[in-house]
């Protein structure tokens, strides 16, 4: 399975989905660019999420907050003080590790948050450095995971937001005042967040700069939330299926009660079977009134909701479904990757993306490059379709080669203009998954694509 990851890393680079960033300068640790097809795929996933979460729901509104926020926010939320990971350095080779991960791997013990205990175990059990094999550790110590920066006109440190949620809590009052929302309702946001991970990796799974799709859903404290909690979990599983995830590759992990933050009633992760094992894809937490209460106390502003019908004032409780966007992309890539043996003995690699997520929907080929009447007709068709669908024109190499390339970028339909087209205005449409070809009248092509790309 490790092999599958290598194949995906290689294909996504070769075919313009994901590039290791800053390569001409020798690279830059764990940063990636989404290339032309990756950017399309990412946009399609975001659009689908927004459509399901905001456009299709009367109880949700969207928000687009800033990355740089007043640092008082991170004090109130506990991030300045407590958003830490335990790190330890190998004195021999100078490599840095997550101390809790080393301890857990070596002894099975979960000592999260217990620095002295971790240091003791690392030294007493002579835990070896995964890199150089020696055992000579510094003490384990906390490292805050927020990226710090400075801003003109502001005294003191400013942080790149470690999650998008903060920007939502602080606009709660503005949204209540400006929109006609009634509890229960939710605010959704897509955006970048930054965490200075001690160890990043697994391709785009754990990035220091990443993108989240987050929802804060506000409910009455008296509300029976259990059913809605279950509905959000089901929604998350449904969204994973939209990405192409198979049911058997998904599972729920409920955080044990004793590991929950003091304010959380329940936290469940949706895990996906990545090539490197089951890992968190989405999360859902009941956060009580912790966030609005903390920001209310720290800012001196009342962050409450007035229920006019029952003449009651209260601080709403929050259900927080979060979705990793880069992880969603990885799920889409992993579940789409298919190797097939064909009848003639040859093999093909095909990215079987859900059709609505495919970066290119339709590729248009003239059968031969050196026949101006075929090229002209194919161009005409491309020009007519490109305002409706992401299309690509390709007259490079033989048809077989062009099919192979479109298979590898997951294009659902390839349309070929040939000599019959000039006679009867029909084209050959080839299906990515079945490889079957059918003749379709040009005037019916747009309708055919619309029906089949839903
Ligand atoms: Zn070492």
């Amino acid at each position: 399975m490790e092999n599958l990851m290598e194949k995906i890393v290689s294909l996504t680079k070769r075919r313009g989905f994901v590039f290791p960033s800053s390569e001409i300068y020798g690279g830059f640790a764990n940063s990636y660019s989404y290339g032309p097809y990756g950017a399309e795929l990412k946009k399609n996933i975001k659009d689908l999420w927004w459509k399901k979460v905001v456009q299709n729901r009367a109880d949700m509104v969207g928000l687009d907050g800033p990355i740089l926020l007043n640092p008082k926010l991170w004090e109130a939320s506990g991030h300045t003080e407590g958003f830490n990971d335990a790190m330890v350095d190998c004195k021999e080779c100078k490599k840095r590790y997550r101390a809790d991960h080393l301890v857990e791997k070596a002894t099975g013990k979960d000592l999260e948050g217990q620095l002295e205990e971790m240091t003791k175990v690392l030294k007493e059990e002579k835990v070896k450095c995964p890199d150089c094999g020696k055992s000579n550790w510094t003490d384990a110590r906390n490292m805050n995971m927020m990226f710090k920066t400075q801003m003109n006109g502001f005294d003191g440190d400013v942080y790149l937001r470690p999650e998008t949620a903060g920007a939502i809590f602080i606009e709660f009052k503005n949204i209540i005042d400006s929109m006609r929302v009634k509890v229960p309702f939710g605010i959704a946001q897509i955006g970048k967040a930054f965490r200075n991970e001690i160890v990043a990796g697994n391709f785009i799974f754990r990035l220091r700069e990443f993108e989240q799709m987050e929802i804060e859903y506000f409910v009455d404290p008296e509300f029976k939330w259990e059913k809605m909690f279950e509905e959000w979990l089901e929604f998350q599983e449904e969204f994973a299926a939209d990405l192409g995830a198979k049911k058997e590759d998904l599972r729920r992990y409920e955080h044990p009660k004793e590991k929950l933050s003091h304010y959380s009633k329940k936290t469940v992760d949706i895990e996906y079977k990545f090539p490197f094992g089951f890992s968190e894809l989405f999360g859902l937490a009941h956060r009580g009134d912790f966030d609005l209460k903390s920001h209310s106390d720290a800012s001196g502003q009342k962050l409450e909701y007035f229920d006019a019908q029952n003449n009651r004032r209260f601080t709403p409780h929050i259900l927080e479904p979060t979705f990793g966007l880069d992880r969603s992309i990885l799920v889409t890539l992993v579940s789409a990757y298919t190797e097939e043996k064909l009848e003639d003995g040859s093999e093909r690699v095909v990215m079987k993306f859900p059709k609505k997520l495919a970066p290119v929907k339709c590729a248009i080929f003239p059968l031969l490059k050196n026949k101006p009447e075929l090229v002209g007709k194919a161009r005409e068709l491309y020009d007519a379709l490109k305002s409706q669908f992401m299309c690509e024109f390709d007259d490079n190499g033989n048809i077989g080669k062009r099919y192979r390339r479109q298979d590898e970028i997951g294009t659902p339909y390839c349309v070929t203009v040939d000599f019959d087209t000039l006679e009867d205005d029909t084209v050959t449409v080839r299906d990515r998954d079945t490889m079957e070809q059918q003749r379709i009248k040009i005037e019916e092509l747009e309708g055919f694509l619309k029906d089949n790309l839903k």
Side-chain angles (χ1 to χ4, degrees), residues 213-318:
M213 306 184 285
E214 286 199 302
I215 295 166
E216 304 301 324
Y217 199 85
F218 303 92
V219 299
D220 190 316
E222 318 254 285
F223 181 74
K224 297 261 174 288
W225 54 273
E226 288 83 355
K227 183 164 166 278
M228 186 175 279
F229 195 95
E230 175 61 27
E231 283 166 4
W232 275 118
L233 282 176
E234 283 166 14
F235 176 83
Q236 292 187 309
E237 284 162 346
E238 181 195 307
F239 191 73
D242 285 329
L243 302 175
K246 291 194 207 82
K247 220 178 181 161
E248 63 266 28
D249 291 336
L250 295 169
R251 71 178 189 197
R252 294 179 181 188
Y253 168 73
E254 180 166 353
H255 292 225
K257 284 265 177 315
E258 65 274 14
K259 299 274 283 175
L260 290 180
S261 319
H262 61 93
Y263 48 80
S264 179
K265 288 202 169 79
K266 189 172 183 175
T267 299
V268 176
D269 295 340
I270 302 290
E271 297 184 330
Y272 175 75
K273 195 178 172 188
F274 289 98
F276 44 84
F278 270 103
S279 300
E280 183 186 352
L281 171 61
F282 305 143
L284 175 62
H286 188 307
R287 297 182 57 85
D289 61 6
F290 174 78
D291 305 285
L292 290 181
K293 272 265 163 66
S294 306
H295 292 302
S296 185
D297 290 348
S299 67
Q301 301 281 323
K302 278 208 158 62
L303 302 179
E304 294 177 336
Y305 176 77
F306 180 63
D307 173 8
Q309 215 168 359
N310 300 304
N311 199 27
R312 278 173 63 229
R313 198 174 283 282
F314 58 81
T315 304
H317 283 200
I318 288 178

Side-chain angles (χ1 to χ4, degrees), residues 90 92-93 129 131-132:
C90 170
E92 302 289 332
C93 72
C129 168
D131 210 62
C132 70

Side-chain angles (χ1 to χ4, degrees), residues 15 17 33 75 115 138 177-178 183 237 266 291 381 419:
R15 290 301 190 197
F17 284 88
S33 295
E75 268 169 46
L115 291 175
T138 62
D177 291 347
S178 63
V183 167
E237 284 162 346
K266 189 172 183 175
D291 305 285
L381 193 53
F419 292 104

Side-chain angles (χ1 to χ4, degrees), residues 89-95 97 128-137:
D89 294 320
C90 170
K91 287 187 192 167
E92 302 289 332
C93 72
K94 313 292 176 209
K95 278 263 160 57
Y97 297 96
K128 281 184 182 143
C129 168
D131 210 62
C132 70
K134 305 213 172 87
S135 181
N136 186 5
W137 299 106

